[in-house]
Amino acid sequence: MHRDSWRELKQDQWFIAGSATALLCLFLVVAGPWFASHDPNDISFSPLSAPSTEHWLGVNDGAMDILAELLHGMRKTAGFGLLSGSAGLGLGIFIGLAAACFGGMAERFLMGLGEILLAILAVMILILAAMFFRPAPVVLAFLLAFLSWPTTAKAIRAQALLRKESLHVRPARQMGASSAYILLRHLLPELYLLYLMGFAGKVRSAVLMEASLAFLGLLDPNRKSLGIIIKYALKYYYLDVRFNWLLPPIACLTLLVMSLTCLVISLEKLFDPRLREWWW
Amino acid sequence: MTRAFLRMLPAYLLAGLTLIALSHALPRFMPGDFVTAMCSGSHVVLNGEEDAELRRRYAHEEGCFQYLARLCRLDWGYSQAFMTPVSRLILDALPWTLLLMGTAHLISTALGFAAGVEAAWRRGQAAQKISVEVMTILEGVPEIATGVLLLLVFALKLGWSPAAGAETAYAQHGTWQRVLDVANHLVLPLSTLVVAYLPGNFLLARWSMLLVLKAPFMETARAKGLPPLRVRYAHGACNALLPLVTRLGLRIAFMVTGAVVVETIHSYPGLGTLLFNAIARRDIPLVQGIVLFSSITFLAVNMGLELFYGWLDPRLKHAS
């Protein structure tokens, strides 16, 4: 799985396209706010003015610079996705490996819990929680992570169980390697492509979730994320501001989601070896 | 009854009970109560008597089982913003969502399946390659983007379709005129959803068809001298159907959530828009009702699917 799949990935056009766009997004997320020449909360400009050299994307109805909003919004949305994605992935890896290693009652309990969580609509729980408690987005991100670990945990458990009996792990165990050694030296590092796939998929759905929740008006309207910008821009879609106000955040969101989709698709292809030579 | 169904049954029941218990308990955890939530931010000033009266009305304690019984009687509470029973509002909005989502799923699944099967059959050809590339790119476009673009181009710029609503208000139409009117309003949200769902269906159908094409029974079918169309559909495509049915089930289960963004953008009066408005007006009983309704639909559809699999793929019935 190791070197071959990496080489194969590097030749896959979808993986190249996906990771290039993802890197671009990451750059915007990390460095974006430094490029913003205005504070996104500064309300001292003239409302709804057209793009100019001073305000590249114009000014919104609340007299705030749209480019500054956009650069900060990208960070908020992607940050939510990355946080929720990594927490969900961490939980998934931990629970999947634990289930595969311990077996027995613990495995049945964890996987049963996973089935229950899979049968619950995550977005509905998030809507209820956001509606009743108005929590910080960080809390919602962790809640989403808690609801989304089962898919990764199931995949990791299945692969770990297969790998436990593979030709290089069995001898290690016969030579007296402890479960902890096998877990940390063999299972944990050898499933890394599975992590990448789970991570990309989870970040993708978390980004979409954040955009939808913000669009529904469930997140703090002062926290400028892409969903919030779209929500407010959409109110004025019949004015000329649509080109500088409505379309840019939509393009950013699309870029973000598209890069992650490309990564997921290329990794999925890698995981179904039956399809590799048949792809085209 | 498949074995998988029986195995999953406890998980579904537990999930359902968890949801109902959550829905019952959450308002109780809320800081303050309904009265504070409703009136503290508004311009209405309550005097002591009214305040006590309102509190008495909303404070009645009911146990989880009483709540469950009330849900079964379709008594889902009373919407404070619309001054209508929640069940009435949900039942009014449901037909539009069913029409929109049902048509969207029907079209995107049928089209995606046929196109996917044909693309798999023609693997290696240039046109097929391009179609896969286009579909993969489309798969990465969120509904919010497609919806807004279609709205801007076809409703605003070209003016071909109405921008909002499900039918012309107060219009006195005959039956056929009304059908045309509804269809005209349906086009934009429907195309948004089809563009959103089609690529996934296409890629999945092509994928599973590619797997079927490698199966030895396809070789046999061809060797028997069957006509290509029969080989392709009766022997091949039928066996590639299962993943698509799974996906269709999952998507139907996501009925309300999937529709929220698109319905809101196009102001289509379905459950999604109802949820959006309920949230905007902080109408807690209505949000609760819609959330519970869609979560239970999700569970029920998933359970139904488990039953349906056994019929669709007899191999699953005998698998341990």
Side-chain angles (χ1 to χ4, degrees):
Chain A
M1 180 160 173
H2 257 72
R3 207 173 301 149
D4 285 352
S5 25
W6 193 239
R7 196 183 306 143
E8 209 165 314
L9 263 186
K10 279 196 291 192
Q11 284 164 358
D12 184 20
Q13 47 169 341
W14 292 113
F15 185 77
I16 298 169
S19 37
T21 356
L23 281 179
L24 175 71
C25 290
L26 198 65
F27 174 72
L28 280 178
V29 166
V30 174
W34 288 333
F35 293 122
S37 44
H38 300 284
D39 178 10
N41 291 314
D42 188 355
I43 50 168
S44 59
F45 313 112
S46 85
L48 292 177
S49 53
S52 60
T53 45
E54 172 74 11
H55 307 287
W56 287 9
L57 290 176
V59 178
N60 71 8
D61 63 330
M64 299 171 231
D65 183 61
I66 293 173
L67 182 63
E69 263 192 326
L70 196 63
L71 290 171
H72 279 85
M74 190 91 173
R75 181 182 268 192
K76 293 268 164 44
T77 299
F80 184 95
L82 289 174
L83 181 68
S84 177
S86 12
L89 180 72
L91 260 178
I93 294 173
F94 180 74
I95 293 176
L97 286 181
C101 278
F102 295 134
M105 279 302 281
E107 181 180 15
R108 285 181 59 188
F109 171 74
L110 290 172
M111 290 299 119
L113 184 65
E115 299 286 358
I116 293 176
L117 287 179
L118 277 182
I120 289 177
L121 262 181
V123 64
M124 289 300 162
I125 300 287
L126 290 184
I127 287 178
L128 275 185
M131 182 85 185
F132 282 125
F133 305 111
R134 306 190 201 183
V138 181
V139 179
L140 284 180
F142 280 119
L143 187 59
L144 178 61
F146 176 72
L147 291 168
S148 67
W149 60 261
T151 42
T152 312
K154 274 170 98 169
I156 284 181
R157 173 181 156 268
Q159 284 289 326
L161 284 180
L162 276 180
R163 209 147 280 270
K164 238 167 95 175
E165 301 306 321
S166 67
L167 280 178
H168 64 292
V169 178
R170 259 210 322 241
R173 205 173 28 236
Q174 274 162 4
M175 279 190 261
S178 66
S179 324
Y181 177 86
I182 289 177
L183 191 69
L184 291 177
R185 277 305 296 273
H186 288 291
L187 300 184
L188 193 63
E190 283 173 24
L191 298 173
Y192 74 105
L193 278 173
L194 219 50
Y195 308 153
L196 203 57
M197 184 161 91
F199 185 63
K202 282 197 191 335
V203 175
R204 177 179 186 269
S205 52
V207 162
L208 284 173
M209 182 74 79
E210 200 270 355
S212 310
L213 288 179
F215 184 78
L216 277 176
L218 283 164
L219 300 179
D220 178 10
N222 292 319
R223 179 182 162 274
K224 297 188 183 306
S225 72
L226 292 181
I228 296 267
I229 305 177
I230 295 174
K231 176 186 164 73
Y232 286 104
L234 202 56
K235 287 184 184 168
Y236 296 93
Y237 78 90
Y238 47 82
L239 297 181
D240 277 337
V241 290
R242 55 179 175 269
F243 293 108
N244 54 22
W245 190 7
L246 182 54
L247 293 184
I250 286 182
C252 285
L253 185 67
T254 308
L255 198 70
L256 212 62
V257 173
M258 200 178 276
S259 69
L260 293 163
T261 308
C262 285
L263 286 180
V264 172
I265 283 181
S266 63
L267 286 165
E268 265 176 4
K269 190 165 55 172
L270 194 73
F271 264 94
D272 209 333
R274 296 170 294 180
L275 281 175
R276 265 185 242 173
E277 73 269 42
W278 275 55
W279 182 245
W280 288 121
Chain B
M1 285 278 170
T2 59
R3 223 174 273 174
F5 177 73
L6 289 178
R7 196 173 55 80
M8 290 298 293
L9 197 60
Y12 284 130
L13 287 180
L14 264 175
L17 285 178
T18 315
L19 279 170
I20 291 174
L22 259 181
S23 172
H24 170 251
L26 270 182
R28 258 144 270 258
F29 288 129
M30 201 170 50
D33 54 13
F34 272 137
V35 182
T36 337
M38 264 195 321
C39 301
S40 63
S42 74
H43 301 297
V44 184
V45 180
L46 299 173
N47 61 31
E49 219 170 283
E50 286 165 343
D51 191 77
E53 164 67 20
L54 269 179
R55 268 178 217 286
R56 195 182 54 74
R57 188 184 297 173
Y58 289 115
H60 64 281
E61 271 302 312
E62 68 181 339
C64 203
F65 284 104
Q66 278 163 303
Y67 181 69
L68 193 63
R70 194 159 65 83
L71 290 183
C72 292
R73 289 196 308 269
L74 273 188
D75 176 8
W76 290 50
Y78 199 76
S79 154
Q80 291 145 0
F82 294 93
M83 291 301 175
T84 320
V86 168
S87 49
R88 176 87 252 137
L89 286 170
I90 291 182
L91 288 179
D92 280 347
L94 187 62
W96 294 118
T97 297
L98 281 181
L99 174 69
L100 176 62
M101 299 304 275
T103 332
H105 283 306
L106 218 63
I107 293 179
S108 62
T109 306
L111 261 181
F113 183 62
V117 166
E118 292 299 321
W121 193 261
R122 292 179 170 69
R123 65 183 187 287
Q125 294 178 10
Q128 181 280 143
K129 258 186 190 181
I130 293 170
S131 71
V132 175
E133 269 159 16
V134 169
M135 288 293 184
T136 310
I137 289 172
L138 275 184
E139 171 79 348
V141 181
E143 286 160 8
I144 219 171
T146 338
V148 169
L149 286 180
L150 288 181
L151 186 70
L152 286 183
V153 175
F154 291 101
L156 198 65
K157 198 86 191 157
L158 300 173
W160 290 356
S161 297
E167 51 186 338
T168 312
Y170 309 117
Q172 308 240 321
H173 284 322
T175 319
W176 281 111
Q177 277 171 313
R178 181 151 186 241
V179 170
L180 278 180
D181 187 45
V182 168
N184 192 20
H185 281 82
L186 192 64
V187 169
L188 274 190
L190 184 65
S191 343
T192 310
L193 285 174
V194 168
V195 171
Y197 297 155
L198 181 66
N201 288 333
F202 170 84
L203 292 175
L204 190 68
R206 179 175 169 277
W207 196 299
S208 57
M209 185 66 185
L210 280 179
L211 286 185
V212 170
L213 285 181
K214 293 176 80 172
F217 65 79
M218 293 296 286
E219 200 72 32
T220 314
R222 259 192 297 259
K224 278 195 291 189
L226 293 176
L229 254 161
R230 199 173 154 74
V231 176
R232 197 182 310 167
Y233 282 96
H235 290 244
C238 274
N239 287 300
L241 201 57
L242 190 67
L244 219 63
V245 172
T246 315
R247 187 186 165 87
L248 179 66
L250 274 176
R251 287 295 176 148
I252 287 179
F254 281 118
M255 190 171 67
V256 181
T257 13
V260 170
V261 173
V262 174
E263 280 186 3
T264 310
I265 292 175
H266 297 285
S267 306
Y268 204 77
L271 279 174
T273 311
L274 190 64
L275 181 62
F276 182 83
N277 290 333
I279 290 172
R281 300 179 188 193
R282 301 205 63 77
D283 186 351
I284 289 166
L286 186 53
V287 174
Q288 223 180 337
I290 298 173
V291 166
L292 200 61
F293 176 79
S294 48
S295 311
I296 288 177
T297 319
F298 181 73
L299 275 181
V301 170
N302 272 330
M303 261 168 77
L305 267 183
E306 297 275 356
L307 273 178
F308 186 59
Y309 285 150
W311 176 77
L312 195 71
D313 191 346
R315 280 173 298 181
L316 287 179
K317 214 181 276 182
H318 304 295
S320 59

